[in-house]
Amino acid sequence: MGGGLFGFDISSMSGVLATSAYTNYFRVNGGIRQGAITGAMAGGSFVGTLSSSFIADKMSRKTAIQIAAVIWTIGSIFQTAANGIGLLVFGRIVAGIGAGIASAMVPVYQAEIAPKEIRGRVVSLQQFAITVGILVQYFIQYGSSFIDGGPKNPKQSTLAFRIPWGIQIFPATLLAIGMFFVPYSPRWLAGQDRWEEAIRVLANLHGNGDIGHPKVLAQYREIEEAMTFEREVGDSAFRALTQPRMLSRVILTVCIQMWSQLCGMNVMMYYIVYMMQAAGVHNLLLTASIQYILNVALTLPAILFIDTWGRRPSLLYGAFAMMILLLIVAALEGVYGVPNPRTDPSLDAISWLIIDNPPVSRAIVACSYLFVCTFAVTWGPTSWTYASEIFPTGIRAKAVSLATASNWAWNCALAFAVPTLFQKINWRMYVVFAVFNLCAFVQVWLTVRETKGKTLEEMEEVFDSGRPAWRGVSSGSRLDRLQRDIAEGNVKVRLGGRRYEEL
């Protein structure tokens, strides 16, 4: 549900842009004004993301997610009741704050409760939820667009956009209520010295309720040793973030989240209607809907196999493939397109068109579909997984909030800029995003280390090994060896220091 709010955010404008109800009521048709409306939610999300770590560290990851749901609900009410651009923008900013908190803390919570063997799959559910949210919101908008005879009716009722925005309240309500029935993060509990609760949560998550299970005891000891080390170092969370060994990781995750926006997926999600118009597609909403379905369907293989094929290959192959697809689209539009003759007012948002050339139009649509499929399998889930797993518990929430803030900052910038780019540089925009993918490929090759199969507490070994990122890391996990030693009686674990007898 938390990821779903992010998805509802991304898709909250795409389906209404082509309706007369929206364009006539708010008097927008692309350009800077539309960019400001779209970008308002991402701007709010940027603020929410930066504040999320303070809430999560003080009140728990679980409570932070509930607060996010409440804020989202309030913002959705303002959007639904909007009587002008001012109230609409305000509502989108408020809802964005909630989406920002949820988008930062949901993957942190998932990473902290998941077994290492399936951590990638569990955190990838964040991306799957995002894609489902995008799809559901888009089809709600698609269905609502037929109110009063369809999107071309100049007197179409405002229900065409108020219904989709109002329905956003319900998933947020379910999220706020549902979080009462899930446990606190065991690592957050340990950080609060609530060791009894932490061991019971670990037992329920990893040992079917058995506190004495070797896997539970091994995980407990790993967490305890990591917490002890962090406290002995004694740095505050913000000071720890600026230490060279951590600062390099912060910069890496900030860049990964930045590239996940600059790769071009933002264009495909927010402004797919404009892209299809430029390609000469006539049934805009139906053609675009196929893209959203593919986005959901192709996220499933990533969930199933991310812990098998790893994080690094996903990012490398994804960046390369998206670069090639964007260059193909740019070439097709540059060679076969013409300047917009301005004979159709509904096409005023774009400046370059493919006119009466069905093969080229179909090729561009196919490339956009392949692009979305590539992102869904690679960068979509991996960018969230990687950021949530490479930091120590004491600074994880703050580090992930900074990385996610990067995502929302670039999301906001692109939401604001892309309508203008469609008008000013048209097909050349795809070349710009292709270059961004090339830059992402180079950085991933040089700096991204493989983390599959390692516990959160083993990331220090992964990043401090001194090996170049492209050389890989040793296989196996310290936790597996410790679990075997406990099971064989070679290692004894004392729970909670002096509070429990040695087992």
Side-chain angles (χ1 to χ4, degrees):
M1 284 295 181
L5 299 187
F6 194 165
F8 269 73
D9 169 5
I10 291 173
S11 188
S12 60
M13 295 302 302
S14 55
V16 303
L17 289 176
T19 64
S20 296
Y22 175 79
T23 55
N24 292 338
Y25 189 81
F26 294 106
R27 298 173 186 260
V28 292
N29 195 4
I32 294 175
R33 180 176 291 186
Q34 180 57 55
I37 294 172
T38 305
M41 185 170 285
S45 298
F46 176 77
V47 175
T49 298
L50 290 178
S51 64
S52 63
S53 64
F54 299 97
I55 302 171
D57 285 340
K58 183 71 174 177
M59 303 176 67
S60 82
R61 284 70 162 128
K62 172 179 170 177
T63 303
I65 295 170
Q66 290 178 303
I67 291 173
V70 173
I71 295 174
W72 172 273
T73 300
I74 295 171
S76 297
I77 292 172
F78 281 120
Q79 290 178 77
T80 306
N83 59 357
I85 290 179
L87 188 57
L88 174 60
V89 168
F90 177 76
R92 287 179 64 78
I93 291 173
V94 173
I97 293 172
I101 295 172
S103 65
M105 288 305 110
V106 167
V108 170
Y109 178 78
Q110 291 170 317
E112 291 185 346
I113 67 172
K116 64 178 178 59
E117 296 85 0
I118 60 169
R119 185 176 62 246
R121 295 180 210 170
V122 172
V123 180
S124 293
L125 290 173
Q126 159 90 342
Q127 179 63 20
F128 181 70
I130 291 172
T131 63
V132 171
I134 292 171
L135 179 67
V136 170
Q137 172 68 302
Y138 184 83
F139 272 108
I140 291 172
Q141 293 177 4
Y142 180 66
S144 299
S145 71
F146 291 101
I147 290 175
D148 288 339
K152 299 294 185 182
N153 179 10
K155 295 183 178 180
Q156 187 181 35
S157 168
T158 60
L159 290 175
F161 59 80
R162 296 192 194 279
I163 289 176
W165 294 344
I167 288 176
Q168 296 179 127
I169 296 170
F170 295 102
T173 303
L174 289 175
L175 175 63
I177 295 173
M179 289 302 295
F180 283 110
F181 301 97
V182 300
Y184 288 99
S185 160
R187 289 172 171 85
W188 179 81
L189 289 170
Q192 306 299 308
D193 281 330
R194 293 162 62 174
W195 291 100
E196 292 184 45
E197 295 174 71
I199 188 65
R200 287 189 173 85
V201 171
L202 286 172
N204 291 330
L205 291 173
H206 306 301
N208 294 320
D210 179 11
I211 292 178
H213 192 285
K215 186 172 185 178
V216 173
L217 295 175
Q219 187 76 73
Y220 177 90
R221 177 165 168 170
E222 287 263 284
I223 294 172
E224 188 176 44
E225 288 179 351
M227 289 288 182
T228 301
F229 175 77
E230 290 177 32
R231 288 170 178 172
E232 286 176 352
V233 171
D235 287 336
S236 66
F238 285 110
R239 183 174 178 179
L241 287 173
T242 61
Q243 297 300 315
R245 55 194 291 272
M246 287 300 161
L247 183 60
S248 61
R249 295 189 219 178
V250 172
I251 293 173
L252 175 58
T253 54
V254 164
C255 288
I256 287 175
Q257 289 289 347
M258 175 184 72
W259 296 131
S260 74
Q261 289 297 313
L262 293 180
C263 71
M265 187 63 172
N266 182 284
V267 180
M268 305 294 180
M269 292 294 104
Y270 277 134
Y271 297 112
I272 183 60
V273 169
Y274 293 167
M275 183 180 179
M276 294 301 177
Q277 285 177 331
V281 175
H282 298 292
N283 196 337
L284 299 174
L285 296 178
L286 182 59
T287 305
S289 69
I290 297 173
Q291 181 166 279
Y292 292 116
I293 294 173
L294 291 172
N295 192 26
V296 173
L298 270 295
T299 302
L300 291 174
I303 294 174
L304 296 175
F305 299 113
I306 188 173
D307 289 307
T308 301
W309 62 47
R311 286 56 157 160
R312 182 179 165 88
S314 294
L315 296 176
L316 285 171
Y317 295 140
F320 182 80
M322 289 188 291
M323 177 186 69
I324 297 300
L325 290 167
L326 287 169
L327 290 175
I328 293 173
V329 171
L332 290 171
E333 290 205 4
V335 172
Y336 296 101
V338 297
N340 185 354
R342 304 293 179 184
T343 56
D344 184 351
S346 68
L347 299 178
D348 285 347
I350 55 178
S351 63
W352 196 263
L353 290 171
I354 302 294
I355 299 177
D356 296 329
N357 197 332
V360 174
S361 296
R362 286 194 291 268
I364 292 173
V365 171
C367 285
S368 75
Y369 288 167
L370 289 172
F371 180 96
V372 169
C373 290
T374 302
F375 181 88
V377 173
T378 59
W379 276 78
T382 307
S383 61
W384 293 108
T385 300
Y386 201 77
S388 67
E389 65 186 3
I390 67 172
F391 296 101
T393 300
I395 64 171
R396 184 173 298 119
K398 288 182 172 59
V400 173
S401 72
L402 289 174
T404 310
S406 169
N407 181 298
W408 283 112
W410 288 102
N411 187 308
C412 179
L414 290 174
F416 186 83
V418 166
T420 302
L421 294 179
F422 268 111
Q423 293 182 344
K424 300 297 184 182
I425 65 173
N426 41 72
W427 61 268
R428 297 171 186 85
M429 175 183 67
Y430 299 109
V431 178
V432 173
F433 287 113
V435 172
F436 287 147
N437 278 290
L438 176 60
C439 295
F441 179 90
V442 172
Q443 184 182 22
V444 170
W445 175 264
L446 293 175
T447 62
V448 170
R449 300 173 185 275
E450 186 55 68
T451 58
K452 70 171 183 178
K454 303 293 184 180
T455 67
L456 298 180
E457 287 69 37
E458 288 180 284
M459 294 303 161
E460 308 311 304
E461 296 178 10
V462 171
F463 282 87
D464 296 340
S465 65
R467 296 162 61 94
W470 59 87
R471 292 285 301 275
V473 296
S474 59
S475 60
S477 170
R478 185 178 65 208
L479 181 68
D480 295 331
R481 295 189 293 272
L482 179 58
Q483 182 179 337
R484 284 195 300 270
D485 288 340
I486 292 173
E488 294 169 0
N490 299 325
V491 173
K492 302 292 185 180
V493 177
R494 186 184 297 275
L495 300 180
R498 291 171 297 181
R499 284 176 282 181
Y500 293 89
E501 292 297 323
E502 185 176 286
L503 294 179

